[in-house]
Amino acid sequence: MSISTATPDQDLSVDGAPLPSTPIRRLVLLGASGDLANRLLMPALGKLLDVEPQRRDLVLVGAGAEDWDEQTWRDRLEGSLTSGGVSRETVDALLATTSYHRADVTRAEDLAALVAAGEPAPALYFALPPAVTARACEALREVDLPEGTVLVLEKPFGTDAASARALNATLAVLVPEERIFRVDHFLGRSTVLNLLGVRFANRIFEPVWNAEHVASVDIVFDEQLTLEGRAGYYDRAGALVDMIQSHLLQVMALVAMDPIGEVSAFDLREAKAAVLRACRAWGDDPAKASRRARYTTGTIDDRTVPDYVAEPGVDPARGTETLAEVTLEIDSWRWAGVPFRLRSGKAVGALRKEVVVTFKPVPHLPTGLTGECEPDRLRLSMGPDAMALDLNVNGEDDPLGLDHVTLDTDLHPGRLPAYGEVLAGVLDGDPLLAVRGDTAVECWRIVDSVLGAWAADETPMEEYAAGTQGPAGWPL
Ligand SMILES: O=P(O)(O)OC[C@H]1O[C@@H](O)[C@H](O)[C@@H](O)[C@@H]1O
């Protein structure tokens, strides 16, 4: 699927004022020595430059707390690119112009040196823990940012609705909203983008995409991965914040939004925001509408997994959940009464990453057709990328007996990893795949209500053995 790139006359700011689109030729990676940059961002950037070689004039500037010399940085960059399968041409092009700067990114002087006057306007990519990013943004107030500067922020954006609002206020005085890229890499996943093609390029889905025909929607991202050495971050976040607050609510917004006139940042982001504004816990009762659980020791494939609380770096007193589920409602004509169940867990036995739209039963099954009539289901898999439609048909043995079939197809895995699509948007200055500031706050508002119920212990913490599908009795 091709996505339209903003042109100067399409690129409107939120209040309607036109903004010139500014392609980015200098990417300053703050936190260049970190794991995110090394494992995900640099390989994704390399892949992008492989498929779009006209971008190879990009200058990559690494900045970090490590006291590295140029050679150490170049070796690190080269290692990261080559282990990501990036071509020699791209590696050489990036190495030809890259540089590394030791910097304390919370100091205005260091930041000012990185955005030096006379250079093209940079994208400042904060590949940093959220607290450091927030301090760096504060420090940027004292820096004279070149016209066209873009700011790129990783999740989590704040720690609740209030802090997200405060961070938005800090950013708003630095650059216009259209130049703030709050990254959610799920928006760059090919199956997630495929929602647009499936929904809006087929006549058969949109007329039934509403409460009259849809019984429920499930958005599930269950992983076999465990903590993978990320206790410092994950033990403070938990499954609800790590996966549902950001990624799955964004996916839900794309599933539930009204049709858009064009695939532009303005139309798409407004349609998603309308869904999130209308969303709340099912029955306005977050305690009953949510469930949480934590894995105990178990086996995944042949791997023995310890209790979550026995993992290095975990604080048992925190009571962090590794599996979260929340049922939401969207107060609109289109969706009133349809439960949207969002769920994500770590250390499950069989991974399950999909959006499932379950349709209501037919209003009348002709007398004479025998057997069970199952609900029709559209399933969009986020890994591997695939799509399936479960239908009732006439069976093989009895011509009037019902049978069930699945029409399925693999989907193209996408030209780029999700981060590559996100970076393409950043370099084009097109925030189509970026989370708008008000939307980030709405996502926290929805999740804060659940976190509040959990903090008050209104929802019990359950347990499941690693390698199972979660606690017994959970329906998904
Ligand atoms: O499948 P992907 O693209 O790695 O995304 C899933 C990951 O997304 C990250 O944002 C979460 O922090 C991880 O916990 C999760 O495993």
Side-chain angles (χ1 to χ4, degrees):
M1 181 190 317
S2 71
I3 304 162
S4 82
T5 310
T7 58
D9 49 343
Q10 288 170 323
D11 191 6
L12 301 182
S13 70
V14 173
D15 63 6
L19 269 179
S21 96
T22 320
I24 292 294
R25 302 239 151 62
R26 200 156 66 101
L27 179 62
V28 180
L29 200 47
L30 307 164
S33 48
D35 183 57
L36 175 70
N38 186 42
R39 215 166 35 82
L40 292 170
L41 297 180
M42 294 190 289
L45 178 66
K47 285 284 180 197
L48 173 62
L49 270 51
D50 272 354
V51 300
E52 297 187 6
Q54 71 278 13
R55 296 187 192 267
R56 285 191 187 141
D57 61 352
L58 180 83
V59 176
L60 176 64
V61 178
E66 310 286 335
D67 190 11
W68 283 351
D69 59 18
E70 288 294 331
Q71 196 52 48
T72 307
W73 161 244
R74 293 165 65 82
D75 290 347
R76 170 95 165 187
L77 174 61
E78 183 169 359
S80 165
L81 293 169
T82 47
S83 65
V86 173
S87 73
R88 194 67 238 168
E89 289 79 0
T90 292
V91 174
D92 288 343
L94 283 170
L95 288 177
T97 54
T98 194
S99 59
Y100 178 80
H101 301 259
R102 186 180 181 200
D104 174 351
V105 298
T106 63
R107 277 166 42 101
E109 298 82 339
D110 289 18
L111 289 165
L114 290 168
V115 297
E119 301 278 348
L124 297 180
Y125 198 124
F126 298 92
L128 297 164
V132 184
T133 299
R135 284 169 58 208
C137 290
E138 277 298 328
L140 276 181
R141 283 173 188 261
E142 293 165 43
V143 177
D144 197 8
L145 292 174
E147 178 66 31
T149 297
V150 157
L151 305 179
V152 192
L153 289 94
E154 275 290 334
K155 67 146 211 186
F157 186 81
T159 50
D160 55 15
S163 59
R165 230 178 256 118
L167 190 49
N168 278 341
T170 303
L171 295 170
V173 298
L174 301 176
V175 297
E177 174 62 31
E178 283 68 23
R179 297 201 175 115
I180 302 169
F181 288 70
R182 296 171 193 79
V183 169
D184 187 326
H185 77 281
F186 269 49
L187 294 173
R189 294 185 93 100
S190 58
T191 299
V192 174
L193 290 168
N194 183 45
L195 271 165
L196 302 178
V198 169
R199 286 196 55 197
F200 304 133
N202 295 295
R203 187 73 195 221
I204 59 170
F205 293 120
E206 200 49 33
V208 292
W209 209 259
N210 53 53
E212 204 181 326
H213 300 283
V214 172
S216 60
V217 177
D218 295 298
I219 302 175
V220 183
F221 205 88
D222 279 356
E223 303 175 283
Q224 290 181 314
L225 292 179
T226 58
L227 205 47
E228 319 294 323
R230 297 167 76 212
Y233 155 72
Y234 191 87
D235 198 40
R236 284 162 205 275
L240 181 67
V241 166
D242 182 48
M243 290 299 299
I244 296 181
Q245 188 277 333
S246 50
H247 309 316
L248 300 194
L249 279 171
Q250 292 296 319
V251 176
M252 185 195 79
L254 284 169
V255 171
M257 72 184 184
D258 282 346
I260 46 176
E262 66 170 345
V263 183
S264 67
F266 187 84
D267 279 19
L268 185 85
R269 302 200 307 168
E270 182 47 33
K272 282 165 56 197
V275 169
L276 293 164
R277 284 195 295 267
C279 179
R280 59 195 169 111
W282 186 258
D284 229 351
D285 188 344
K288 287 212 181 82
S290 63
R291 287 184 284 194
R292 54 178 172 152
R294 188 166 47 208
Y295 66 79
T296 54
T297 187
T299 312
I300 303 176
D301 296 335
D302 289 335
R303 199 161 42 106
T304 302
V305 175
D307 265 7
Y308 173 76
V309 291
E311 296 259 24
V314 167
D315 176 359
R318 260 186 210 287
T320 302
E321 83 289 354
T322 58
L323 199 160
E325 186 179 308
V326 52
T327 305
L328 301 170
E329 60 187 74
I330 298 168
D331 292 330
S332 67
W333 270 44
R334 183 187 276 268
W335 293 118
V338 178
F340 282 74
R341 289 187 293 256
L342 276 52
R343 160 180 162 135
S344 184
K346 296 271 189 208
V348 299
L351 58 81
R352 186 174 166 216
K353 304 172 177 178
E354 61 180 359
V355 175
V356 184
V357 179
T358 303
F359 292 91
K360 288 183 173 169
V362 291
H364 171 69
L365 187 67
T367 316
L369 281 181
T370 58
E372 279 301 302
C373 185
E374 294 280 328
D376 299 336
R377 283 201 174 85
L378 176 66
R379 290 184 276 125
L380 297 161
S381 166
M382 292 183 268
D385 294 310
M387 182 174 149
L389 186 59
D390 299 338
L391 295 173
N392 296 293
V393 293
N394 281 24
E396 198 183 333
D397 301 328
D398 174 354
L400 293 181
L402 292 176
D403 202 354
H404 315 293
V405 292
T406 297
L407 309 181
D408 56 3
T409 181
D410 290 341
L411 293 172
H412 197 280
R415 59 174 198 148
L416 287 171
Y419 264 107
E421 293 297 351
V422 167
L423 281 166
V426 168
L427 299 183
D428 286 339
D430 179 1
L432 179 76
L433 303 182
V435 176
R436 207 171 70 185
D438 58 333
T439 305
V441 174
E442 288 301 330
C443 290
W444 276 117
R445 176 190 57 77
I446 296 161
V447 160
D448 280 353
S449 71
V450 178
L451 289 172
W454 291 3
D457 241 343
E458 291 166 18
T459 306
M461 174 71 86
E462 300 176 55
E463 288 187 342
Y464 61 102
T468 64
Q469 290 313 109
W474 283 38
L476 278 176

